[in-house]
């Protein structure tokens, strides 16, 4: 059978990807502190997790920073994308390369240079610097999500809106924004993900009072990996899985709806 | 008829290229005007200037006697049907048509009434809730027309609106557009490169080439009395030959001297001689005819297109078939010989244009 090798390949592939996660989730319910022995089912680690002030404040920090940074980055990025879209060719190429650069640039370089900048400007490392740096690295993703939507848009839509009585601002709000909304939302979600995820840049730009979740986890693993972290990871995995499932279901529904319309 | 739009000496340059060169044109109320010309002749730019999307470099634009050069599109009593329709994809048919009324905060009851009127006018009753993304080209076209007409503009601008439709649908829409124009009693300014479309629909045809207006007239004028070789060639098929005007009513071309009906040229002035293929009669060769060999014969339905090779190559339309290789005589009557001043704007034979329109995007 020709399909056999490919099946085996799939089993190995998904095995490598998911077995560690399932082991971790299983261990989060393990009463024993050791990963190698199963001494009984328990929710203790979850209870302890929610009672851990350090982790909880880091989680709150992470969420607040992610929300603020993504919102600001989305607004700035959308405006930037519209500006870039209307530029002349050479200017556009220059700005686009400047946009790609932070993405290609190793994070550690961005992190160190942001830290040096803040020190130079005598801004105390902390909440503010974290937000500023998160906005900085989220911005290109928003631009890259919104620009293709602008390119797909029929350029005459804006003119049509003006033709029908919109002034520039109305035309923008009533026609351009609805056209690029999916790009804006994608950009926001990507910013959110990257912001929550980020370790390297946050590591250099956070102060002692404002730790984000990845940094807290990292510093905890340096001592001894507490099973609390298993519980935390399990929760994060389940949330991400749930979001993905909801999005997929919505997509399937939307495409079915479109087919019916036709 | 009152003048509704006056274009006075308007010029426009894009990136160093002269798109419009000092054009002047009067458009009257309730008139169906077509701007006709090959790609890049400036017809679309002219339309966009009237719509307010392009500002002229020099010259003035008047609407009902008022200068509107600097008036933005949303303050002009003019609406546009865009080439690719530019319907709002996030709105359904009803909301697309209602767009202008919603902006002006019209009461819901009146919106409903007006939209239904429009749907009836363009024959789209029952399509209200459809998404515009899943309409056929013809239906999208109708939505675009309804959307542009709902504000009851004095002038409707149409930019090659039928370009994307197939031939049969295009013919249907031609008659329908004409009907709508007469029903609404407003001015239509219509841009096309299709000469047949222009002749069928218009009250006035404006032939443009290279940023200048070549001729303005009724379809009959334009076809029967083209002012120069460009117009003659662009409108229908023509034989265009170089000639010399000996004196009034006497012209030399193709090695012979012919009587004609034109006068007012300088003695021995070089001219263009234009002869419509359907005006030529093929006879037995004699000393008085232009004699040549039939090169090819193509059946065109109504007539045969016969290519005759004499000292020049001639296109002849005839209902009588010939065989390639036949020796024939080309007979012309004086009234079918049209004499035109040599036009310096183009060189002979190099102005046949492609059918595809490339737009100027600033």
């Amino acid at each position: 059978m020709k399909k056999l090798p490919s099946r085996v390949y799939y089993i190995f592939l998904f095995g490598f990807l998911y077995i560690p996660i399932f082991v971790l989730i299983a261990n989060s319910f393990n009463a024993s502190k050791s990963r190698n022995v199963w001494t009984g089912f328990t929710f203790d680690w979850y209870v302890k997790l929610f009672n851990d002030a350090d982790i909880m404040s880091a989680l709150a920090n992470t969420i607040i920073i992610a929300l603020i940074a993504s919102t600001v980055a989305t607004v700035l990025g959308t405006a930037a994308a519209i500006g870039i879209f209307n530029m002349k060719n050479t200017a556009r190429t220059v700005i686009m390369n400047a946009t790609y650069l932070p993405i290609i640039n190793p994070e550690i370089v961005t992190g160190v240079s942001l830290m040096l900048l803040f020190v130079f400007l005598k801004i105390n490392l902390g909440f503010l610097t974290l937000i500023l740096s998160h906005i900085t690295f989220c911005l290109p993703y928003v631009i890259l999500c919104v620009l293709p939507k602008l390119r797909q848009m029929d350029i005459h839509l804006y003119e049509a809106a003006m033709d029908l009585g919109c002034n520039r601002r109305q035309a923008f709000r009533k026609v351009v924004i609805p056209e690029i909304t999916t790009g804006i939302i994608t950009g926001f979600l990507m910013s959110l993900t990257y912001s929550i995820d980020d370790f390297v840049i946050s590591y250099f730009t956070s102060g002692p009072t404002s730790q984000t979740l990845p940094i807290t986890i990292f510093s905890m693993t340096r001592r001894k990996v507490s099973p609390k972290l298993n519980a935390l990871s399990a929760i994060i995995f389940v949330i991400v899985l749930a979001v993905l499932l909801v999005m997929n279901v919505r997509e399937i529904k939307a495409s079915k709806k479109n087919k019916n319309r036709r | 008829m009152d003048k509704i739009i006056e274009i006075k000496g308007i010029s426009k340059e894009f990136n160093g290229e002269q798109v419009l060169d000092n054009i002047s044109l009067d458009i009257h109320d309730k008139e169906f005007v077509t701007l006709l010309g090959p790609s890049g002749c400036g017809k679309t730019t002219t339309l966009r200037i009237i719509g307010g999307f392009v500002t002229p470099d020099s010259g003035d634009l008047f609407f009902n006697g008022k200068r509107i050069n600097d008036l933005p599109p949303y303050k002009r009593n003019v609406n546009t049907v865009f080439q690719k329709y530019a319907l709002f994809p996030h709105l359904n048919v009803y909301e697309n048509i209602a767009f202008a009324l919603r902006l002006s905060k019209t009461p819901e009851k009146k919106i409903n009434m007006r939209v239904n009127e429009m749907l009836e006018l363009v024959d789209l009753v029952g399509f209200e809730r459809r998404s515009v993304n899943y309409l056929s080209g013809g239906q999208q076209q109708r939505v675009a027309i309804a959307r542009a007409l709902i504000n009851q503009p004095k002038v409707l601008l149409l930019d090659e609106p039928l370009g994307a439709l197939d031939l049969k649908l295009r013919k249907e829409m031609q008659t329908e557009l004409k009907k709508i124009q007469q029903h609404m009693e407003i001015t239509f300014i219509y841009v096309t490169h299709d000469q047949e479309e222009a002749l069928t629909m218009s009250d006035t045809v404006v032939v443009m080439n290279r940023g200048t207006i070549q001729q303005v007239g009724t379809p009959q004028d334009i076809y029967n009395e083209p002012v120069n070789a460009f117009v003659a060639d662009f409108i229908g098929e023509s034989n265009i030959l170089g000639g010399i005007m000996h004196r009034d009513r006497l012209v030399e071309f193709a090695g012979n001297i012919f009587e004609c009906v034109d006068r007012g040229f300088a003695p021995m002035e070089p001219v263009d001689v234009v002869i419509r293929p359907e005006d030529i009669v093929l006879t037995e060769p004699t000393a008085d005819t232009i004699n040549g060999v039939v090169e090819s014969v193509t059946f065109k339905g109504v007539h045969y297109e016969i290519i005759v090779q004499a000292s020049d190559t001639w296109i002849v339309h005839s209902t009588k078939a010939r065989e390639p290789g036949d020796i024939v005589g080309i007979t012309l009557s004086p009234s079918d010989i049209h004499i035109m001043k040599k036009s310096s704007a183009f060189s002979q034979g190099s102005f046949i244009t492609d059918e595809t329109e490339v737009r100027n995007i600033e």
Side-chain angles (χ1 to χ4, degrees), chain B residues 138-165:
Chain B
Q139 290 163 342
Q140 290 189 8
Q141 175 69 69
R142 287 161 194 270
V143 178
I145 293 166
R147 187 182 68 174
L149 285 174
I150 199 152
N151 248 357
Q152 293 168 305
K154 280 264 189 301
V155 177
L156 187 70
L157 309 176
L158 303 104
D159 186 5
E160 306 233 11
L162 309 183
L165 306 181

Side-chain angles (χ1 to χ4, degrees), chain B residues 54-75:
Chain B
V54 172
T55 325
D57 295 337
S58 60
D60 291 312
L61 177 67
F62 294 92
F63 184 87
N64 264 341
K66 260 193 252 156
R67 186 174 175 277
I68 57 161
N69 280 34
D70 306 312
L71 211 60
Y74 50 89
K75 289 189 180 157

Side-chain angles (χ1 to χ4, degrees), chain A residues 112-186:
Chain A
V112 171
S113 44
L114 277 169
M115 180 185 73
L116 291 176
L117 176 75
F118 293 137
V119 170
F120 176 75
L121 293 175
K122 299 210 167 59
I123 303 173
N124 284 336
L125 294 182
F127 207 69
L128 178 68
T129 54
L130 266 176
I131 288 178
L132 287 177
S133 44
H134 278 226
I135 292 172
T136 308
F137 72 75
C138 286
L139 204 54
Y141 293 104
V142 178
I143 295 176
L144 291 179
C145 287
V146 175
L147 256 185
K149 287 284 149 198
L150 284 166
R151 290 213 190 93
Q152 280 168 22
M153 191 182 83
D154 179 354
I155 51 158
H156 295 301
L157 285 183
Y158 181 70
E159 288 181 350
M162 297 232 288
D163 191 69
L164 294 167
C166 287
N167 59 32
R168 286 175 188 280
R169 187 176 297 174
Q170 287 172 317
F172 182 73
R173 208 180 65 225
K174 288 181 188 286
V175 175
V176 179
I177 290 287
E179 278 304 284
I180 59 174
T181 304
T182 50
I184 295 175
I185 291 173
T186 317

